[in-house]
Amino acid sequence: MPSALTLPFLRYHIPISSPFSLPRCSSTTTAAVSQGDSTLRKTMDRLAGNAHLMIVSDLDHTMVDHHDPENLSLLRFNALWEANYRNNSLLVFSTGRSPTLYKELRKEKPMINPDITILSVGTEITYGNSMVPDDGWVEFLNQKWDRNIVSEETRKFTELTLQSETEQRPHKVSFYVQKDKAQDIMKSLSVSLKERGLDVKIIYSGGMDLDILPQGAGKGQALAYLHKRFKAEGKLPKNTLVCGDSGNDAELFTIPDVHGVMVSNAQEELLQWYSANAKDNRKIIHATERCAAGIIQAIGHFNLGPSTSPRDVMDLSDSKMDKFDPAYEVVKFYLFYERWRRAEIENSDRYLANLKAVCCKSGKFVHPSGIEQLLHDCVSSLRTCYGDKQGKQFRVWVDQVLIEQIGSDSWLAKFKKWEQSGEERLADYKVEFVEDRWFKFSWDPKDKASLRSL
C-alpha cells in the first residue's frame, strides 16, 4: 500500500445555485427573462469560452443502467465528469420522462445535476437545478398543434392504451401499443391528424411506447434549438456527444457535426435506424460497453478528453497529473473516504498522518449548526469509522464541483457531497439551510494542501 496520500481534507460542502440558463425567446420583457439573461452571462463567464464538450444523453438504459444494482457505471461517469469536465463543459439530460418521473428517477439513482434538461421526448427544455422552462420553445411548439384534436382522433383506436396522467404533457400525448400493431396505427394516425390540419410527429420506442408530438418537437429538434441559441451567442460547444439506446433517441444522431454513441444494450429499433440511415457515418459508434460505461468509451474513442474515471484508479496516490487540478483532488478525496469506510484500503496510521500533514493546523470544519472543529480532530475521528460500511452498499459522490481561482495558488471549491447506504441517502447540505461560508484551498510546490475558513 502507498505510504502517503497527498489529498486535501474537504468536509464542508457548499450547495450552489443553477449554473446555467438561457435567455427566453419571448416577445414580452419580464423579470424572468432578465434573470435568464443574467444566468446565461454567468454561465459563459464560468466556462471562460466555448464549452469544450457538451454531452447530450438519454437517461433510462443509457446514462442509467437499471440492471446495475450498485450503479457503478453511473458513479464512474459522475466521477469522470466532476473531476475533468464540470468546470469547462455542459451536461444535458434528454429523456422521454415527464418532470414528475424525472424527479422520481433522481431520488432512486445517484445522478449528478445537469446544466440543461430536455424532457417529455423533447417537448420541454429547462435550465439549471430549478428547471426554469424555456418559454420560447413552448411558443414554437404551439404552431399547428391542438391537443384536443389529438385526443379526439386517438380515441378511435382501441389498440391504444393511454399512459399515466403524469406522462400526458401540453405538447405530448402518450400511449402503450403492442409492437405488431404499432406501424399500421402510426400510418393511420398520421393521415387522420393531417386531415384535421395538424402537423405532428409520431414516435415509437421501447417496443411499447407511442408518443404524439408537434412536428417541430423531439429530442433532435430540441438539441438543434439549443445549438442555435449557443451559436447566436458565439458560444457553440466545440464538441457535442449524443448518447442513446432507443427509437426516440434516433433524432439526436441526425444533428450535423455531432459525435454519437449507441450503447451496447441499444434496442432493435435504434439499431435498425442506424443500419438504414447512418451505418457509414464514422462519427457514430455502437459501443461494446453498457449504458454510462459506453458513454465513457465513446469519449475515449473520439478523443474528446480524459476518459479514465477516477473510480477506475485503484491507487489514488499514483494518479499523477500534468498540473494540479483542485476538482480532481476533491473527487479523489471522497473516493478515499468511501474506500476507507468500506475497508477497501489498508487501515493504516500512515494515511491519517498524511491527511493531517496536508491540512492547515488552524483549519476548521464548520458544521451547518455553526459548531466548529479543528480539521486535525476531524481526521483523527476517521479512525472510528474505518470499515463501518464493509460489505454494505455504501457509496459517496460529489456533484457540481465548481472551482474558482482566487490567487496564484488558491481556489474556491464549491460542491455538494452525497452519501448513500442501502436505501438511505444523505447530503451534508440542502439549499434552504445553507449559510455562505467558503474555504480557501491552497496548494504549494511541496505537494501540500490546506483549508482555511475565510
Side-chain angles (χ1 to χ4, degrees):
M1 298 297 293
S3 60
L5 282 175
T6 55
L7 297 171
F9 187 82
L10 301 176
R11 190 65 182 87
Y12 188 87
H13 308 280
I14 304 126
I16 56 180
S17 60
S18 163
F20 191 82
S21 183
L22 287 173
R24 303 181 181 187
C25 292
S26 174
S27 59
T28 304
T29 302
T30 65
V33 173
S34 298
Q35 183 180 5
D37 288 343
S38 175
T39 308
L40 175 62
R41 297 279 75 75
K42 290 178 181 178
T43 299
M44 297 312 171
D45 290 343
R46 171 176 75 80
L47 293 176
N50 299 54
H52 168 72
L53 174 63
M54 181 163 76
I55 287 185
V56 183
S57 178
D58 174 51
L59 290 178
D60 295 289
H61 309 293
T62 301
M63 182 63 73
V64 176
D65 189 347
H66 293 284
H67 299 288
D68 179 4
E70 290 207 43
N71 303 298
L72 291 179
S73 64
L74 179 57
L75 289 166
R76 287 177 60 217
F77 176 86
N78 291 354
L80 176 66
W81 187 262
E82 297 298 338
N84 297 286
Y85 294 97
R86 176 66 78 175
N87 240 35
N88 63 12
S89 298
L90 295 170
L91 180 61
V92 182
F93 289 158
S94 182
T95 178
R97 287 180 177 243
S98 65
T100 298
L101 290 190
Y102 168 69
K103 291 173 183 177
E104 287 183 7
L105 184 65
R106 292 194 61 83
K107 293 177 182 178
E108 297 168 4
K109 298 293 182 178
M111 296 163 56
I112 56 178
N113 277 288
D115 299 293
I116 306 172
T117 312
I118 300 172
L119 299 153
S120 305
V121 199
T123 62
E124 302 176 58
I125 300 176
T126 68
Y127 304 116
N129 296 358
S130 56
M131 299 178 66
V132 179
D134 187 315
D135 290 343
W137 184 239
V138 172
E139 292 174 9
F140 173 72
L141 294 184
N142 282 335
Q143 302 172 28
K144 290 190 176 182
W145 172 255
D146 189 320
R147 202 177 188 287
N148 292 330
I149 292 178
V150 174
S151 297
E152 289 174 13
E153 291 299 318
T154 53
R155 279 197 290 268
K156 299 175 182 178
F157 295 84
T158 58
E159 300 91 342
L160 294 175
T161 301
L162 202 64
Q163 292 186 19
S164 67
E165 187 62 30
T166 62
E167 299 313 287
Q168 311 306 323
R169 305 296 296 168
H171 297 95
K172 180 174 79 79
V173 186
S174 297
F175 301 89
Y176 297 119
V177 64
Q178 293 181 14
K179 187 175 181 179
D180 59 345
K181 298 179 180 179
Q183 291 302 319
D184 289 340
I185 289 177
M186 290 170 67
K187 291 178 182 178
S188 299
L189 263 177
S190 181
V191 172
S192 63
L193 291 172
K194 186 175 182 179
E195 290 175 348
R196 295 292 301 274
L198 299 190
D199 192 9
V200 303
K201 178 182 295 181
I202 303 175
I203 299 176
Y204 184 67
S205 63
M208 61 187 296
D209 299 315
L210 188 146
D211 299 306
I212 304 174
L213 326 170
Q215 183 60 242
K219 292 184 176 184
Q221 295 286 63
L223 173 56
Y225 174 85
L226 290 174
H227 271 179
K228 184 177 180 180
R229 301 294 297 272
F230 280 118
K231 189 174 182 179
E233 294 288 335
K235 296 293 184 178
L236 187 67
K238 296 176 183 177
N239 298 287
T240 297
L241 173 65
V242 300
C243 321
D245 78 296
S246 70
N248 67 20
D249 300 316
E251 282 189 1
L252 290 172
F253 298 91
T254 68
I255 304 304
D257 301 321
V258 303
H259 299 279
V261 56
M262 302 177 296
V263 291
S264 68
N265 52 292
Q267 297 186 35
E268 179 184 352
E269 70 244 12
L270 182 59
L271 297 178
Q272 289 176 347
W273 175 89
Y274 171 75
S275 296
N277 300 280
K279 63 180 179 181
D280 296 325
N281 187 345
R282 294 185 178 181
K283 283 193 170 185
I284 301 176
I285 64 168
H286 186 193
T288 58
E289 299 283 347
R290 290 179 56 86
C291 300
I295 298 174
I296 295 174
Q297 180 185 355
I299 293 173
H301 176 85
F302 294 120
N303 296 313
L304 299 176
S307 58
T308 300
S309 172
R311 279 193 173 270
D312 296 331
V313 179
M314 293 300 103
D315 185 352
L316 292 170
S317 65
D318 264 354
S319 54
K320 305 295 183 185
M321 303 187 71
D322 293 335
K323 67 176 184 177
F324 173 69
D325 188 332
Y328 192 92
E329 293 298 316
V330 170
V331 173
K332 192 166 73 170
F333 172 75
Y334 282 105
L335 285 174
F336 164 77
Y337 174 71
E338 175 188 291
R339 292 169 184 177
W340 176 266
R341 296 191 65 181
R342 287 171 61 95
E344 293 177 346
I345 57 177
E346 179 186 359
N347 184 1
S348 171
D349 286 340
R350 292 194 300 268
Y351 289 115
L352 301 186
N354 185 68
L355 284 174
K356 286 185 177 181
V358 301
C359 289
C360 176
K361 290 183 178 180
S362 60
K364 294 180 179 180
F365 160 60
V366 184
H367 191 271
S369 65
I371 297 174
E372 298 183 0
Q373 185 179 11
L374 288 174
L375 283 175
H376 278 206
D377 293 341
C378 294
V379 173
S380 296
S381 70
L382 282 175
R383 286 192 178 91
T384 64
C385 66
Y386 178 82
D388 65 338
K389 299 296 183 181
Q390 187 173 13
K392 299 179 181 179
Q393 289 189 335
F394 174 74
R395 297 294 176 186
V396 180
W397 68 97
V398 290
D399 184 15
Q400 294 184 306
V401 179
L402 295 179
I403 304 298
E404 178 185 353
Q405 187 160 5
I406 58 174
S408 60
D409 61 354
S410 303
W411 295 262
L412 291 179
K414 297 168 279 185
F415 59 97
K416 300 176 183 177
K417 188 266 283 183
W418 294 86
E419 294 184 13
Q420 183 155 354
S421 185
E423 297 299 319
E424 183 181 17
R425 183 184 297 186
L426 299 173
D428 280 286
Y429 278 86
K430 295 183 179 179
V431 173
E432 58 269 29
F433 299 120
V434 166
E435 186 176 351
D436 285 335
R437 291 174 181 264
W438 307 97
F439 281 109
K440 185 175 181 180
F441 177 29
S442 301
W443 183 263
D444 66 36
K446 297 179 181 179
D447 286 347
K448 291 187 177 182
S450 64
L451 288 172
R452 296 192 296 270
S453 179
L454 289 180

